[in-house]
Structures are given as structure tokens and as C-alpha cells.
Amino acid sequence: MEKKGLHYAWKVFIAICIITFVNGLGSSYAIFMTPVTKEFGCSITAFGLVYTLQTYAQVVGTPIFAAVYKKGKSRQAIAAAIIFTAIGYLGQGFAHNIYTLYVLNIIIGLSQGLLILVFGADLIGRWFAVSIATLVGLSGCLRAAGGAVFNGLGGWLIDVSGWRTTTIVFGICMLVILPAALWCHNDPEKLGWKPFGIEKAAAEQKGPAEDLGKPAGLTFKRLRKMPVFWIFVLAICLTPFCNVLYGYLNNWLQTAKGMTSTTAGFCNSALMVGGICGYIGIGRICDKNYKAGILCCMAGAVIAYPILSLSNGLGYVAYLILFFLIGVTYQPTCGIMEPTVVREAIGMKDYTVVWAFMVSALNFLGALGSTVWGVMINAFGYTATFIICAVTYAVLALVFIAVVGIAKNNWSKMPEWQPDAE
């Protein structure tokens, strides 16, 4: 019998939006660089290791949380991830050396892969049959919106009450959203529901809804034997390597441009607002043409970083605009563009496992990038580093389009792609 009332998919979507918005506070780590390095007397490279260790912890934690999540314990896995994150932030309020921050950020990192990149894209792909990339973009943009709020709020709190109070407030915010995990079921069939819009999707594809509801695609066991898959993984991983240069921008504004934590924090907020627009716009574009989505993601940083490298005469409004452009690239690449093209390339049959693996891989390279950019800044300065990053983004966009195109055009024709094929 057809269920009446609000489709449960929308309850899941609301829960995703709540969790994603508050978890946007993780994007504000850069506002802590200047006060922490001053208090602990450490270098920016030493502070950069905080994020590096957090990201390497994601490499370890994401497959573990994803395995629990996939076994029908999605709500428990999400709730545990929220608690881990809250503990990490609360504990930082009482840290007295950089090594304590290392440990606490490892705790945060264990859960972040699930909360940032896995659960939202997976749940939407399971609960909706139409406009999936658009919905992933709409929910994902709330992480950028949360980042905008928490960067501005956090910068102000640091100036008013110190960075320790700010981390405690962030931890409390994470605990408040814990009840939202109760709606995050990952199996519509067990609750007696079909994916939202499945009849419309079936009509558009001229096939029965029952067949459309069966996940098609390739399994991770099959994919890992294909050399082109590992090229695909490498292409996925290179974007976060470039993205993490963002973590040094706040320090650059304060040390090289003389801004306060508050004014630099609002530049980071502008970056997050760019992410909001990027999520929404790129989600719509990816539903139509993933190649155009890739180009739109990369274009913001390719344009902004060279201008920043020559920014001696720029005013504050110009910085806000340029940070906005970087934001169009920063979160939407991994938050909407990559999960979309991975889903299109490998299907939904084993999406949770494959995407969780890729999240671990991209986090590994992203963490390496955090350290490498710090070394490059110390060795060559910000100007040269910004130019190198922009060139890398431009080259990567072309390589990414080529590799994803090959995967998308060939894998869906394989016999193993069919829903019932092993």
C-alpha cells in the first residue's frame, strides 16, 4: 500500500541538512592558527600538522565508520561520529600544548570522513531517484553556510573570549544536533518506502520502477582489479591536495596584510558563502553535464589565486570577492562534484564502500597537501605558492575530465554492471 503524508525521504534530507550545517564549523580551523601559534610558540607548519593528523585520522576512521554504517547501523554510526567530534572540540578548550591538539584532532578526524563526505551523498542517493546532484548540492551548501557562520562567529569569539572558549562553544553546538541522527536510516525498503520520485525516473527512462529501484553498478571487488580505476582514484585525490592551501589564507591575511582575527574571519566567511553558491549551482550543473560542473568548480581558484599573489593594492572588498571565488572551488569539489561523478561512473551497487574508500584516499593526499603547502610557503613565500596552486588546478581540471569521461563511457557497458550480476 502507498504510504500517505510527507515522504520519509524529506525527513532524512532535513536531518542531513541540520548535521551538515553545524559540521561546517570544521571549516573554521584556520581562524585558530594565529592565536594558537602565538600562545604555544610554534610555527605555522607545526600548526598545519594539526590538520594533517586530523585528515590522516579520516583515512583510518572513514572505512570503519562506513562499515558500521553499511551494516544497517547508519544512525548509530552517525551519532557516534557526532560525539567523537564534540569530544575533540570540547577537549581543545583545556589543551596546554600543541601535542594535545594533535591527539584531540585525531579523535575528530576519525569521524569526519563519514560526516563530511559519505553519509549525505549516500543517503540522498538511496532515498531519492530524481535531482540527486541538486539535492546533494543543496544539503552540502549548508556546510559552507555553517562555515560562513562559524568563521565569522569564531573570529569574533576569539577576539572577545579567546580561542579556548571558542572551541568549547563549537563542541556544545555538535552535541545539540545529536537527535538528528535518529532520522538517518539508510535503507528505504526496510521502512516500507520506495525512493522519492522513482515513478518519474522510471517513466523518463521508459522502464519499470521495480527495476530502477535495484542498484546497478560495479562492486569494489571488481573495480580494484581495473588499472583505470586507480587512475580515477588519483584524479579524485588531487583536488583536496590543492584545496587545503585554504588553511593558510587566514594566517596570510593577519601576518602579511595586517588584518585582525575578526576581519580575516569575515574573509573566510566570504569563502564559505562562495561555497554555498558553488554547491547549489554546481549541483544543478552536474545533473545536466558533469564536465561543465568540473570546470565551474576549478575556475574560481584558478582565477583568484593569481590575483591574490599580486594583491598589494587591493582593498578589503576585493579580498572578499577573491575569497568568494576560492570558496566556489574549496568545498564543492569534494562535497558535490566528486561524489556525483563517482556515482555516475561506478553506480550505486557498491557506492558506500567505493566512496568511503575514495574519501580515505583523498583525505590521505589532502593531508599530505597541508604539510607540503606549509613547507612551500616557508621555502618560496605565499606569492609563488599561490601561482603553483592555480596552475595545478588548471591542469587537474583537464585531466579529471578526461579520466572521468573514460570511466563513465566504459564501465556502464560491462556485464557486471547489471543489478543482479555478481
Side-chain angles (χ1 to χ4, degrees), residues 65 68-78 184 186:
F65 276 89
V68 175
Y69 172 95
K70 188 181 179 182
K71 290 181 179 178
K73 297 182 179 179
S74 55
R75 295 181 299 165
Q76 294 93 324
I78 294 168
C184 294
N186 66 343

Side-chain angles (χ1 to χ4, degrees), residues 1-128:
M1 177 179 283
E2 183 75 17
K3 292 196 174 187
K4 304 296 182 182
L6 180 69
H7 196 290
Y8 196 87
W10 293 110
K11 296 181 180 180
V12 174
F13 184 72
I14 291 170
I16 292 170
C17 290
I18 292 171
I19 295 171
T20 302
F21 175 81
V22 176
N23 201 53
L25 59 83
S27 300
S28 64
Y29 83 96
I31 67 176
F32 297 100
M33 180 177 289
T34 301
V36 169
T37 53
K38 285 183 178 179
E39 180 171 336
F40 291 160
C42 59
S43 67
I44 62 169
T45 303
F47 182 87
L49 188 57
V50 170
Y51 182 73
T52 298
L53 291 172
Q54 182 187 123
T55 310
Y56 280 139
Q58 290 184 41
V59 176
V60 176
T62 299
I64 297 172
F65 276 89
V68 175
Y69 172 95
K70 188 181 179 182
K71 290 181 179 178
K73 297 182 179 179
S74 55
R75 295 181 299 165
Q76 294 93 324
I78 294 168
I82 291 171
I83 292 171
F84 270 52
T85 304
I87 290 172
Y89 277 105
L90 291 170
Q92 288 182 75
F94 305 95
H96 291 289
N97 55 63
I98 193 68
Y99 303 105
T100 307
L101 292 185
Y102 291 161
V103 173
L104 291 168
N105 277 272
I106 288 173
I107 294 173
I108 292 173
L110 291 172
S111 62
Q112 285 298 285
L114 182 71
L115 293 181
I116 295 175
L117 295 174
V118 174
F119 96 105
D122 183 82
L123 286 176
I124 291 172
R126 294 181 184 279
W127 279 98
F128 292 87

